[in-house]
């Protein structure tokens, strides 16, 4: 018998961490950070709910931190086995982990300054740069469709999940004496029909499917509608003589935005904006995307690429890459007609928070959200329509227009999740993770209506035996 225990992303969207145990083998599917409210951040200083030294291997679905961010802590606590992931994920991982480390250091310093003032014990570092280096050395990159063995009875294949560069659906076949069982873990599933990413791979057989449900309660607008909405929002922001701020995740969202802006510019539907990609990390990540561009959705990319044009070169004629902090600060002097793409995607930190501070009080400006905003984040508060927002200790009036473009999501919507699931024949057992409780409830109801399947929605720490 095998078991899965969800130690994160159980009725919540972040902190993916699922422990698969079979007779004699323990494999972790993802090892991610909880993101969002401060309360969650404190959770990270807590110990793992299992012994990291007892884990034989990790399978990493993709490089996003809510799936990868606790790998250095896992190593710090004694894990020294292989970490399997795709080739592109292995390239993106160091960028993600080193960036997260510097944010972690800043948080730790701030907490310890406070603790010192209050006479409390100082919090020690949960992991170091050396641990990140060890994580990178433990990575065993695999190509999509390349089957590999973790043990002779534990076969694994990674398939394209179409979510971000390198993202994978994990298919695991467990052999037990005279029978075998197949587990499919969706990781984060992408949308169908995007311009940049391939559609998620379809799989026909599994005994048990552990599927994400971030948008289990809603469908996204289709791409044509979304692009048209994006065009109109930008046109109205331009007409009001304002600027457009786009909080964007460095991996995935940013690259799709560059592609869509390029597409609007190519069809001469974009006003005379100056476009800033104000994120050293997103720039670095986009360089990696550019290396893999021909393996991505060739149709979408080729229609834009003239010869050897890439996301960073020639797709957009007025694209400025700002790496140095002083160049980022200089953007504040621009009065109007700047599109500013910066992280973090949920406005929990990073350069976007400075741009929001400088621009959110001015009703000529527009903030355009293009990705999921988790509970407890400033991004979620702004989307929910707060009148004031506190940033850098200052109460700021929210006068800027606030727009949300769900159609740019990197996650499948409700119907796409159901369609993906419907390809499994005969019907598998279904376990839903990576979604807030309401979203997973709605998805579970819809799965029952359409596929007559009773999906399970485990709580954190609950054991699913199969
Ligand atoms: Zn993701």
């Amino acid at each position: 018998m095998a078991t899965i225990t969800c130690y994160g992303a159980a009725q919540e969207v972040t902190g993916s961490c699922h422990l698969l145990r079979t007779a004699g083998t323990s494999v972790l599917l993802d090892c991610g950070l909880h993101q969002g409210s401060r309360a969650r951040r404190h959770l990270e200083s807590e110990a793992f709910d299992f012994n990291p030294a007892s884990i034989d291997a990790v399978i990493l679905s993709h490089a996003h931190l809510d799936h990868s961010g606790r790998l250095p802590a896992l190593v710090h606590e004694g894990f020294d086995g292989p970490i399997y992931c795709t080739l592109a994920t292995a390239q993106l991982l160091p960028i993600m982990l080193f960036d997260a480390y510097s944010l972690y250091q800043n948080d730790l310093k701030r907490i310890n300054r406070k603790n010192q003032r209050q006479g409390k014990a100082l919090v020690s570092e949960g992991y170091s740069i050396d641990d990140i280096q060890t994580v990178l050395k433990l990575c065993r990159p695999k190509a999509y469709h390349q089957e590999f063995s973790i043990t002779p009875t534990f076969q694994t294949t990674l398939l394209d999940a179409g979510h971000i560069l390198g993202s994978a659906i994990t298919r695991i076949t467990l052999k037990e004496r005279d029978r075998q069982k197949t587990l499919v873990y969706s990781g984060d599933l992408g949308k169908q029909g995007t311009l940049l990413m391939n559609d998620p791979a379809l799989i026909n057989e599994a005994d048990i499917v552990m599927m994400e449900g971030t948008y289990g309660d809603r469908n996204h607008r289709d791409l044509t509608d979304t692009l048209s909405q994006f065009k109109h929002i930008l046109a109205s922001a331009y007409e009001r003589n304002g600027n457009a701020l786009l909080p964007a995740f460095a991996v995935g969202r940013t690259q799709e935005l560059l592609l869509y802006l390029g597409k609007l510019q190519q069809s001469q539907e974009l006003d005379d904006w100056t476009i800033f990609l104000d994120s050293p990390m997103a720039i670095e990540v986009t360089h990696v995307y550019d290396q893999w561009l021909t393996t991505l959705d060739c149709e979408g990319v080729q229609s834009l690429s003239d010869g050897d044009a890439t996301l960073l070169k020639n797709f957009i004629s007025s694209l400025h890459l700002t790496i140095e902090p002083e160049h980022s600060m200089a953007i504040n002097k621009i009065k109007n007609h700047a599109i500013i793409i910066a992280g973090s995607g949920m406005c929990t930190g990073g350069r976007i928070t400075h741009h929001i501070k400088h621009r959110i009080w001015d009703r000529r400006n527009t903030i355009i959200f293009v990705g999921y905003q988790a509970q407890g984040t400033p991004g979620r508060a702004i989307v929910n329509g707060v009148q004031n927002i506190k940033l850098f200790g200052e109460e700021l009036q929210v006068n800027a227009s606030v727009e949300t473009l769900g159609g740019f999501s990197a996650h499948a919507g409700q119907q796409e999740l159901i369609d993906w699931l419907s390809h499994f024949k005969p019907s598998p057992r279904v376990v839903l993770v990576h979604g807030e409780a309401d979203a997973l409830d709605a998805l579970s109801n819809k799965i029952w209506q359409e596929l007559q399947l009773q999906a399970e929605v485990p709580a954190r720490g609950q054991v699913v035996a199969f």
Side-chain angles (χ1 to χ4, degrees):
M1 193 178 68
T3 61
I4 309 171
T5 313
C6 303
Y7 288 113
Q11 300 178 23
E12 58 180 351
V13 170
T14 64
S16 287
C17 184
H18 312 289
L19 180 54
L20 172 59
R21 284 197 182 97
T22 66
T25 311
S26 295
V27 172
L28 207 56
L29 304 175
D30 288 335
C31 189
L33 275 176
H34 278 102
Q35 292 169 320
S37 66
R38 265 167 203 284
R40 278 291 177 209
R41 206 179 278 164
H42 287 297
L43 256 182
E44 308 312 331
S45 55
E46 285 178 14
F48 285 99
D49 294 319
F50 48 85
N51 176 12
S54 72
I55 304 294
D56 298 294
V58 173
I59 303 171
L60 176 61
S61 67
H62 63 291
H64 274 154
L65 286 174
D66 64 318
H67 293 255
S68 68
R70 291 198 84 194
L71 286 170
L74 193 78
V75 161
H76 191 84
E77 298 297 324
F79 170 75
D80 63 355
I83 299 170
Y84 298 102
C85 60
T86 63
L87 296 155
T89 296
Q91 275 182 288
L92 292 173
L93 196 57
I95 306 173
M96 307 299 287
L97 295 183
F98 286 122
D99 183 74
Y101 182 71
S102 67
L103 295 176
Y104 173 61
Q105 283 291 304
N106 290 344
D107 283 350
L108 206 59
K109 277 183 200 150
R110 199 178 49 243
I111 289 167
N112 278 338
R113 273 198 302 269
K114 197 170 156 194
N115 285 356
Q116 209 163 15
R117 286 196 298 270
Q118 297 175 353
K120 289 183 186 165
L122 299 189
V123 180
S124 58
E125 205 177 59
Y127 70 94
S128 66
I129 287 274
D130 289 349
D131 295 318
I132 298 179
Q133 300 290 9
T134 307
V135 166
L136 301 177
K137 279 188 206 133
L138 293 173
C139 279
R140 301 284 178 273
K142 300 288 173 191
Y144 286 127
H145 298 284
Q146 177 192 354
E147 194 177 43
F148 56 95
S149 305
I150 292 179
T151 70
T153 58
F154 197 120
Q155 306 286 323
T156 305
T157 313
L158 302 176
L159 302 159
D160 197 342
H163 166 64
I164 60 163
L165 179 67
S167 63
I169 300 165
T170 306
R171 181 173 60 200
I172 296 167
T173 304
L174 303 170
K175 290 182 182 136
E176 277 181 348
R177 288 188 206 97
D178 51 340
R179 62 192 199 120
Q180 68 175 42
K181 277 183 247 173
T182 303
L183 161 74
V184 169
Y185 167 48
S186 71
D188 286 1
L189 268 191
K191 270 164 57 70
Q192 289 165 16
T194 65
L195 283 186
L196 187 58
M197 303 309 300
N198 293 311
D199 286 353
L202 299 175
I203 305 169
N204 301 321
E205 278 177 55
D207 295 287
I208 181 163
V209 174
M210 186 159 63
M211 184 176 80
E212 71 122 318
T214 314
Y215 288 100
D217 55 351
R218 70 196 100 153
N219 288 310
H220 303 304
R221 278 181 183 230
D222 74 21
L223 186 61
T224 316
D225 283 358
T226 305
L227 272 172
S228 151
Q229 195 190 357
F230 189 34
K231 187 177 75 182
H232 286 114
I233 292 168
L234 288 175
S236 124
Y238 192 90
E239 216 172 274
R240 288 202 312 279
N241 258 330
N243 301 281
L245 311 186
L246 284 88
F249 297 105
V251 190
R253 254 20 11 241
T254 294
Q255 292 72 32
E256 297 235 6
L257 279 175
L258 292 176
L259 196 67
Y260 296 137
L261 286 168
K263 194 173 165 62
L264 289 177
Q265 197 174 60
Q266 192 191 47
S267 54
Q268 299 180 332
E269 294 175 284
L270 194 65
D271 291 300
D272 191 18
W273 292 95
T274 308
I275 301 172
F276 292 93
L277 178 51
D278 186 25
S279 163
M281 183 185 175
I283 294 166
E284 208 179 336
V285 167
T286 311
H287 278 296
V288 180
Y289 266 73
D290 276 347
Q291 288 173 36
W292 290 90
L293 214 50
T294 53
T295 70
L296 298 177
D297 184 339
C298 294
E299 233 172 278
V301 174
Q302 271 168 5
S303 69
L304 272 172
S305 94
D306 181 15
D308 61 353
T310 64
L311 292 167
L312 290 179
K313 208 179 88 185
N314 300 340
F315 263 18
I316 305 171
S317 57
S318 52
L319 180 64
H320 297 258
L321 307 178
T322 45
I323 294 174
E324 301 304 325
E326 53 269 32
H327 294 151
S328 172
M329 284 187 265
I331 300 172
N332 295 337
K333 297 196 185 99
I334 295 175
K335 293 266 184 301
N336 54 15
H337 298 161
I339 290 177
I340 307 161
I341 305 169
S344 70
M346 299 187 202
C347 310
T348 49
R351 290 181 179 179
I352 196 69
T353 51
H354 294 274
H355 294 302
I356 287 177
K357 180 186 162 189
H358 282 96
R359 314 272 189 193
I360 198 167
W361 56 270
D362 187 338
R363 60 184 69 253
R364 287 174 304 172
N365 293 325
T366 306
I367 305 175
I368 308 172
F369 288 95
V370 290
Y372 188 84
Q373 304 298 311
Q375 271 179 356
T377 59
R380 178 76 160 246
I382 298 171
V383 166
N384 284 348
V386 291
Q387 305 278 303
N388 297 287
I389 185 109
K390 198 169 184 179
L391 281 179
F392 305 102
E394 210 179 307
E395 282 286 338
L396 304 161
Q397 282 200 342
V398 182
N399 292 330
S401 288
V402 176
E403 304 280 356
T404 303
L405 280 171
F408 283 159
S409 169
H411 292 267
Q414 186 188 61
Q415 195 56 49
E416 289 171 311
L417 290 167
I418 305 261
D419 290 348
W420 184 77
L421 200 54
S422 71
H423 283 85
F424 291 90
K425 297 270 168 35
S427 295
R429 196 168 150 190
V430 177
V431 176
L432 301 179
V433 293
H434 202 289
E436 287 174 7
D438 290 350
L440 296 188
D441 260 4
L443 181 59
S444 159
N445 287 336
K446 190 80 178 166
I447 290 172
W448 175 249
Q449 280 166 22
E450 294 212 7
L451 306 175
Q452 289 75 52
L453 269 169
Q454 185 76 61
E456 295 160 59
V457 183
R460 186 185 170 116
Q462 193 178 324
V463 178
V464 176
F466 64 100

